[in-house]
Amino acid sequence: MTKTLATTAMFLALAAPAFAEGELNLYNWGNYTSPEMIEKFEKETGIKVTITDYDSNDTALAKIKAGGHGFDIVVPSGTYVPIFIDEGLLMESKPNEMENFSNMDPQWVDVEFDPGRNYTVPWQWGTVGVTVNTSVYDGDIDTSAVIFDPPEELKGKINVTPEMNDLMGLAIHYVGGEQCTADKEVLKKVRDMLQAAKPSWISMDYGMIEKYAAGDVAAGSNWNGASMRARAKNADISFGYPQEGYPVWMDNAAILADATNVEEAKTFLNFIMAPENAAMLSSFARYANGIAGSEEFMPEDMKTAPEIVVPAELKGAAYVARTCPPEATKLYTAIWTELQK
C-alpha cells in the first residue's frame, strides 16, 4: 500500500505542471503586446509568457465566463472592467500596494471603472476617431460624417471597427445625443442613420492596419494607434477627431479570479508599471500609457504625432468612455444586433 501511494505521488508530481511555476498565460487583444517588452520580462524574471489573442471585449468576456480557459491575465477596456468585476471574474490583486504603483499617472488612479486601482493596471489608452486615405478623399476628416454620411469618393471603401460601445458613442454624439442616453427618440435617429449608412461600408472588421496601408480600404472608424501604424506604411493615411464627439478609452491588465500563476501575474503587473517597460508597450502599439515618466523612453515621433497630440480646438469634443446602465446597453445591443444582420 505504501509503495502504491509513493508511486502515485511520484506520478502526480511528474504529471501536474500543466501550469507550472514560472509560467504566465496572457490573454490580450491581437497585435497589441510588445515582443521586446515580453522578451525583457522573461529575461529578468525567468517567467515564460504565452500570449493568446482576442479581437473584441465581448470575445474575451465570453471566453472567460465559460471557464476552463487557463489564462492568468486579461486586458479589458475600462467600459468592461465593471462587468468583469461584477461577474466575479477578476482577482482583487491590489496593484495599488505594488512597488511600481507610485509611477502611475495620478489622473489614471481614481478612475470610475476601478477607483483606487484595486483590480487593474493601465495597459494603454487612446481615442476612437476616423482614419482616411487622403489620396482618395481630401475633405474635412474631423467629423463622423466620414462614416455616417460619407462622400461619394469613400462609398464602398469604408470599414467600421465592430466595437459596439465605440460606434454607438460616435453615432449618438453625431445625432446630438449624450453618452449612455436611453432616449428612444435619439436612439431611433441613431438606428435609422446606421442602417442608411451601412450600404456604403465594405466591411465591419478588426485588424485593418495592413488593409489601410495597402489601399484596400479608404476610410473608417478606428483607434488612433492603429491609424498611426497604418500611416507608418502609407503616408496618405490621416486620423481625424470627430468634432461631434469622440471617446477616450483605456485598456487595463487584470489578474483573473481563477488564475493559476498568481505570483507570476502580480510580478507582471508590477513590471508594466515601470516607465521604461510601459514605454515599450506604447512604442509597439503606438498608444499612450498611464505611467508617468514613460515619455522619456518613447520614440521621438510619438511626441508630435497627430494621432497622439489632439488639436487644441478638438480637445473639447472628447469624452471619457464609461460603462452605460443596463437599460441603455439593452437598447444599444438591439440596434447593434440589427446592424450586424
Side-chain angles (χ1 to χ4, degrees), residues 37 93 119 126 134 145 255 282 284 291 309:
M37 189 274 290
S93 58
Y119 293 88
T134 56
I255 302 175
S282 293
F284 175 75
I291 303 303
V309 181

Side-chain angles (χ1 to χ4, degrees), residues 133 136 157 209-218 234 237:
N133 187 323
V136 178
K157 303 171 185 177
I209 294 172
E210 299 298 334
K211 290 187 177 181
Y212 276 114
D216 295 336
V217 292
N234 183 337
I237 301 299

Side-chain angles (χ1 to χ4, degrees), residues 20 23 100 106 114 121 144 147 156 190 223 227 254 265 272 292 318:
E23 295 182 0
N100 286 332
D114 183 15
V121 165
S144 289
I147 53 176
V190 168
W223 301 300
S227 191
I272 63 174

Side-chain angles (χ1 to χ4, degrees), residues 5-341:
L5 288 172
T7 303
T8 302
M10 182 176 70
F11 173 78
L12 289 173
L14 291 171
F19 298 98
E21 186 175 333
E23 295 182 0
L24 180 68
N25 295 285
L26 173 62
Y27 193 35
N28 198 4
W29 297 81
N31 199 17
Y32 198 37
T33 307
S34 164
E36 181 186 13
M37 189 274 290
I38 293 297
E39 183 179 347
K40 182 184 178 189
F41 176 76
E42 291 180 331
K43 185 176 180 179
E44 290 188 5
T45 66
I47 298 169
K48 173 65 177 175
V49 180
T50 300
I51 303 170
T52 304
D53 295 344
Y54 55 82
D55 61 4
S56 72
N57 281 298
D58 286 326
T59 297
L61 180 61
K63 181 76 171 180
I64 300 302
K65 286 180 70 172
H69 48 76
F71 304 127
D72 300 307
I73 288 178
V74 69
V75 189
S77 299
T79 51
Y80 275 70
V81 168
I83 301 171
F84 273 82
I85 293 173
D86 291 345
E87 295 277 353
L89 300 174
L90 299 185
M91 177 183 296
E92 192 172 359
S93 58
K94 295 290 185 181
N96 48 23
E97 296 178 1
M98 295 178 181
E99 180 183 358
N100 286 332
F101 182 75
S102 60
N103 296 317
M104 194 181 297
D105 188 327
Q107 70 172 317
W108 295 112
V109 174
D110 279 315
V111 287
E112 184 177 328
F113 56 80
D114 183 15
R117 294 288 183 172
N118 290 294
Y119 293 88
T120 65
V121 165
W123 184 266
Q124 292 181 82
W125 68 271
T127 56
V128 181
V130 294
T131 295
V132 176
N133 187 323
T134 56
S135 71
V136 178
Y137 176 67
D138 62 359
D140 182 14
I141 66 170
D142 290 319
T143 171
S144 289
V146 166
I147 53 176
F148 298 138
D149 187 18
E152 286 299 323
E153 301 98 307
L154 295 177
K155 289 182 179 180
K157 303 171 185 177
I158 296 168
N159 176 74
V160 171
T161 304
E163 275 292 318
M164 181 182 79
N165 291 328
D166 291 352
L167 191 67
M168 288 297 295
L170 291 175
I172 288 167
H173 280 81
Y174 187 69
V175 301
E178 295 295 327
Q179 179 180 201
C180 292
T181 183
D183 185 316
K184 292 186 178 179
E185 286 301 313
V186 170
L187 295 180
K188 183 179 185 302
K189 290 180 183 177
V190 168
R191 181 260 178 201
D192 292 347
M193 179 187 71
L194 290 174
Q195 290 294 334
K198 186 179 177 182
S200 295
W201 306 341
I202 190 174
S203 57
M204 295 179 70
D205 205 357
Y206 294 93
M208 302 300 290
I209 294 172
E210 299 298 334
K211 290 187 177 181
Y212 276 114
D216 295 336
V217 292
S221 61
N222 202 6
W223 301 300
N224 60 311
S227 191
M228 184 176 179
R229 293 170 77 178
R231 180 170 63 84
K233 299 172 181 290
N234 183 337
D236 291 327
I237 301 299
S238 291
F239 184 74
Y241 298 87
Q243 57 197 281
E244 303 85 9
Y246 60 91
V248 175
W249 52 266
M250 172 171 270
D251 293 336
N252 308 269
I255 302 175
L256 291 161
D258 55 357
T260 302
N261 305 298
V262 174
E263 291 308 312
E264 290 85 349
K266 289 181 177 180
T267 299
F268 187 80
L269 293 192
N270 187 57
F271 182 86
I272 63 174
M273 286 191 286
E276 185 175 357
N277 301 331
M280 288 183 179
L281 291 176
S282 293
S283 298
F284 175 75
R286 298 298 187 158
Y287 297 99
N289 60 71
I291 303 303
S294 63
E295 299 82 5
E296 65 180 283
F297 301 102
M298 297 277 205
E300 283 298 317
D301 62 352
M302 287 192 70
K303 297 175 182 178
T304 57
E307 297 88 353
I308 306 297
V309 181
V310 182
E313 67 273 17
L314 293 168
K315 286 183 178 179
Y319 63 90
V320 177
R322 58 187 177 89
T323 308
C324 295
E327 62 171 316
T329 300
K330 183 178 180 180
L331 295 170
Y332 300 169
T333 302
I335 293 171
W336 187 248
T337 300
E338 185 179 4
L339 184 66
Q340 291 187 305
K341 289 180 180 176

